[in-house]
Amino acid sequence: MEEKKRFRQYHVLKRRESYLMGRYAAKQAIYNRFLTNIERYSLSDICIGEGIFHFPVVSFPHYQNLQVCISHNDCYAAALAFSEHHPMGIDIEKLNGESLSSDKTESIRSLLTVTERERLVQYSTSNLELLLLYWTAKEALSKVLKTGLMTGFSLYEIDQIERESNVWKSRFKNFPQYKALTFRVEKDAVCSIVLPRKSSLHNMEEVLDTEFSERVETEGAR
């Protein structure tokens, strides 16, 4: 009921679609991560509500301490399902989506620290891709901390970036206990996953090799 009530509050079609995509991706991630071998449950048994600051809250009476993180943009929706004991975050942004206007690009650039701006010219990748690395990694971290965009982005400053094959690995100046893994989705989006520094995604190669169409779902870490 809570999900239907929230859905009816959106009157713009695109907002309704992104809400449905995000909820579907979240429930699919939860199901694949925790319920695959339990036939008596379905996606409709899982309810994704909202906390006071609009972060997703999982309601599923048969399992405790389930968490989910959601991101959606244009035609993509991404979700991470994980235990409360192991916080994670995700964010996805299209390289050429409708929401990525020149104004937003300049806004992202203006939020960078001096050190981060200097780093833009050090890498052979496009400035836009690196800008989205900063943006998605920081937003994913803000979801881990459940602060969202209510805190200045300078607090989430990235002070280390290195590239290994198709994955950018970043570290945060003020949150050294976390790291970000950033990669391209198909050829038109950038996705960042933030997780504890000593953790690793056991299915990272599967994520990178997947043919993405409407969504990307990442299910856990070890």
Side-chain angles (χ1 to χ4, degrees), residues 50-56 146-150:
E50 286 188 356
I52 190 170
F53 296 124
H54 304 294
F55 53 82
K146 291 184 168 58
T147 57
L149 302 180
M150 296 177 289

Side-chain angles (χ1 to χ4, degrees), residues 91-172:
D91 193 64
I92 189 168
E93 189 79 45
K94 287 200 74 176
L95 281 165
N96 55 356
E98 293 179 10
S99 61
L100 191 63
S101 63
S102 59
D103 288 342
K104 182 171 182 178
T105 301
E106 288 307 309
S107 177
I108 295 173
R109 191 185 300 274
S110 70
L111 293 171
L112 300 182
T113 65
V114 173
T115 302
E116 289 172 334
R117 290 175 192 169
E118 292 174 349
R119 192 178 290 119
L120 282 175
V121 301
Q122 296 178 8
Y123 295 94
S124 58
T125 190
S126 70
N127 278 357
L128 179 56
E129 183 176 354
L130 199 56
L131 278 175
L132 291 185
L133 180 154
Y134 282 126
W135 177 263
T136 57
K138 291 183 178 186
E139 188 158 352
L141 177 62
S142 76
K143 293 176 182 179
V144 173
L145 302 175
K146 291 184 168 58
T147 57
L149 302 180
M150 296 177 289
T151 302
F153 261 29
S154 60
L155 180 64
Y156 310 134
E157 180 177 356
I158 293 174
D159 65 351
Q160 294 182 43
I161 299 177
E162 60 180 14
R163 188 166 192 170
E164 293 185 11
S165 186
N166 295 321
V167 180
W168 292 89
K169 297 184 178 182
S170 309
R171 300 287 179 84
F172 301 95

Side-chain angles (χ1 to χ4, degrees), residues 19-20 28 67 74 79 90 101 125 137 160 163 167 170 182 184 186 218:
Y19 178 83
L20 289 176
Q28 194 72 29
Q67 300 271 317
D74 289 352
I90 191 168
S101 63
T125 190
Q160 294 182 43
R163 188 166 192 170
V167 180
S170 309
T182 304
R184 293 283 289 268
E186 292 189 334
T218 307

Side-chain angles (χ1 to χ4, degrees), residues 2-13:
E2 181 178 354
E3 291 173 321
K4 291 181 179 179
K5 181 179 179 181
R6 172 62 66 180
F7 175 76
R8 294 191 184 103
Q9 291 176 352
Y10 299 122
H11 302 292
V12 178
L13 178 60

Side-chain angles (χ1 to χ4, degrees), residues 34 63-67 82-85:
F34 297 104
Y63 279 79
Q64 301 298 316
N65 304 320
L66 296 186
Q67 300 271 317
F82 50 92
S83 167
E84 185 178 9
H85 301 89

